[in-house]
Amino acid sequence: MSMYRDLHRGTARATVLRTVGTRERRSHLTAPRVPTVGIDIGGTKVMAGVVDADGNILEKLRTETPDKSKSPKVVEDTITELVLDLSDRHDVHAVGIGAAGWVDADRNRVLFAPHLSWRNEPLRDRLAGRLAVPVMVDNDANTAAWAEWRFGAGRGEDHLVMITLGTGIGGAILEDGQVKRGKFGVAGEFGHMQVVPGGHRCPCGNRGCWEQYSSGNALVREARELAAAESPVAYGITDRVGGNIGEITGPLITELARSGDAMCVELLQDIGQWLGVGIANLAAALDPSCFVIGGGVSAADDLLIAPARDAFRRHLTGRGYRPEARIVKAQLGPEAGMVGAADLARLVARRFRRANRRRVERYERYAQAGRG
């Protein structure tokens, strides 16, 4: 009899685990269809928006990020003001935050943010104490990847890797409808894979990191070095900025490349080739079905992505004998992180509503018992 109970208990436990796993995979489908606020915090801007269950932005606000020398409370004040402002005009049920930094596995603390003064900052708890709705915190690349998987270029993919090319390189991994955050919450820091031993020094402290060769910073650095050296190939861009080399930016390089400037085209090809090398390394490790390329540098479209695809095919392990992952440009643009944060917050809203319902039911039972 005891053995029967043990077997039955084991079967029941397995059933529960399968049910929990299924619920997690389907959670985005069963979450309440209520509006939520998404916040995207970067080094230069804070973007906030009310997003519905279909990923549509109902209203968006944007402000500059407070100076990084200021206390974390200043940034939290800014977030609170934006949420309260939006709440005046919308029925907000939860708030999701995508932060440019490392977020712990519990999605409460920002362990480190390179562009802000957050160090082991309990952001979720601090904001939840000031706002009347639940708060969810995640890395901004994770929230952008979630948005692209739900509403953008990654729809229908079971194994997706997103790479965000901005000043550096961020990334995220999604498998079977779940963001893979790692044991400590900091998975996806692809930009700091070392691709060139002893290469360019990276602000992270190491040398030869991927983002030193394929990012907005790398693109601008190369262009400015050529201009400073008075290279004849840089005359076009030097004339465009009137000799003020500090005014050379990534968007300007992309603009000139589209108009046919040979140096700018070549620089984007170089960045794209390094992008393809890194993607091939990630394919060897993770074997996803799709790579989604987002971030500001992805605005260069095929000037960047075409050479990335070529380099990927040349460096892919087992090339010619394995299926190749698709490499596509993100569809949601700079709003992806905000939309993804809002959508992930709807899962918190569901738990919040259930907890509230249970509290109400308990209160009603106690009230009835008191009357009895």
Side-chain angles (χ1 to χ4, degrees):
M1 188 69 175
S2 174
M3 183 171 65
Y4 172 78
R5 283 199 303 271
D6 289 344
L7 288 171
H8 177 72
R9 189 179 297 121
T11 303
R13 184 171 184 273
T15 301
V16 169
L17 290 176
R18 281 197 302 272
T19 303
V20 169
T22 302
R23 186 183 304 130
E24 288 177 351
R25 286 193 296 273
R26 295 177 180 171
S27 57
H28 66 284
L29 299 175
T30 58
R33 295 183 62 80
V34 294
T36 52
V37 168
I39 308 278
D40 185 18
I41 308 170
T44 59
K45 53 84 182 166
V46 181
M47 189 186 303
V50 180
V51 181
D52 69 15
D54 297 314
N56 300 310
I57 300 171
L58 306 180
E59 183 180 354
K60 181 176 68 173
L61 301 174
R62 179 179 174 134
T63 186
E64 291 184 358
T65 303
D67 186 79
K68 66 180 179 182
S69 66
K70 297 178 181 176
S71 70
K73 184 177 180 299
V74 176
V75 184
E76 292 160 16
D77 289 343
T78 301
I79 295 169
T80 301
E81 290 168 6
L82 290 171
V83 173
L84 294 179
D85 188 359
L86 292 169
S87 297
D88 286 341
R89 296 176 297 281
H90 302 273
D91 182 20
V92 174
H93 289 251
V95 174
I97 297 172
W102 292 356
V103 178
D104 69 2
D106 293 331
R107 284 179 280 172
N108 176 26
R109 294 178 175 271
V110 180
L111 302 175
F112 173 75
H115 304 295
L116 298 167
S117 54
W118 284 334
R119 303 293 183 268
N120 200 30
E121 182 70 15
L123 183 61
R124 183 189 68 197
D125 288 349
R126 288 191 188 280
L127 288 173
R130 301 177 64 176
L131 301 171
V133 292
V135 176
M136 184 282 310
V137 178
D138 209 338
N139 172 266
D140 58 346
N142 288 343
T143 61
W146 180 267
E148 291 292 342
W149 177 69
R150 286 275 285 126
F151 310 113
R155 280 176 293 183
E157 298 288 349
D158 290 333
H159 294 78
L160 177 149
V161 169
M162 183 161 185
I163 298 164
T164 56
L165 298 178
T167 54
I169 295 180
I173 308 162
L174 268 82
E175 290 184 6
D176 296 327
Q178 296 183 49
V179 178
K180 298 299 182 181
R181 299 178 176 85
K183 175 65 175 179
F184 305 109
V186 296
E189 292 295 330
F190 305 139
H192 299 289
M193 300 186 302
Q194 292 184 9
V195 296
V196 179
H200 289 294
R201 176 72 73 180
C202 180
C204 78
N206 292 326
R207 286 186 179 275
C209 291
W210 187 26
E211 69 176 38
Q212 291 304 305
Y213 300 88
S214 184
S215 67
N217 277 352
L219 181 67
V220 171
R221 180 194 67 225
E222 296 295 311
R224 288 179 178 177
E225 285 181 359
L226 286 167
E230 298 183 354
S231 169
V233 300
Y235 286 167
I237 198 167
T238 303
D239 287 345
R240 178 65 180 269
V241 297
N244 297 316
I245 295 173
E247 294 182 9
I248 295 175
T249 63
L252 176 60
I253 295 169
T254 299
E255 177 190 338
L256 292 175
R258 284 196 178 121
S259 65
D261 183 283
M263 183 199 77
C264 293
V265 170
E266 184 177 333
L267 289 178
L268 282 168
Q269 287 175 341
D270 289 345
I271 297 296
Q273 287 170 4
W274 277 112
L275 176 60
V277 170
I279 290 174
N281 290 339
L282 291 173
L286 302 173
D287 191 29
S289 59
C290 179
F291 288 94
V292 177
I293 312 301
V297 183
S298 69
D301 297 315
D302 273 352
L303 289 169
L304 173 83
I305 294 179
R309 290 189 180 115
D310 291 340
F312 170 68
R313 294 188 184 103
R314 289 199 308 273
H315 292 88
L316 181 63
T317 302
R319 50 193 173 275
Y321 295 95
R322 60 181 288 179
E324 291 185 5
R326 296 190 306 125
I327 300 175
V328 297
K329 182 189 172 184
Q331 292 180 355
L332 301 182
E335 286 85 15
M338 180 187 74
V339 171
D343 197 60
L344 283 165
R346 291 176 55 244
L347 310 183
V348 181
R350 180 189 64 182
R351 292 195 293 272
F352 179 69
R353 283 162 53 132
R354 285 178 176 173
N356 272 353
R357 186 168 65 248
R358 286 195 293 271
R359 282 195 289 269
V360 170
E361 290 170 351
R362 282 200 301 272
Y363 175 80
E364 290 175 346
R365 285 199 300 271
Y366 293 150
Q368 289 174 357
R371 287 194 297 270

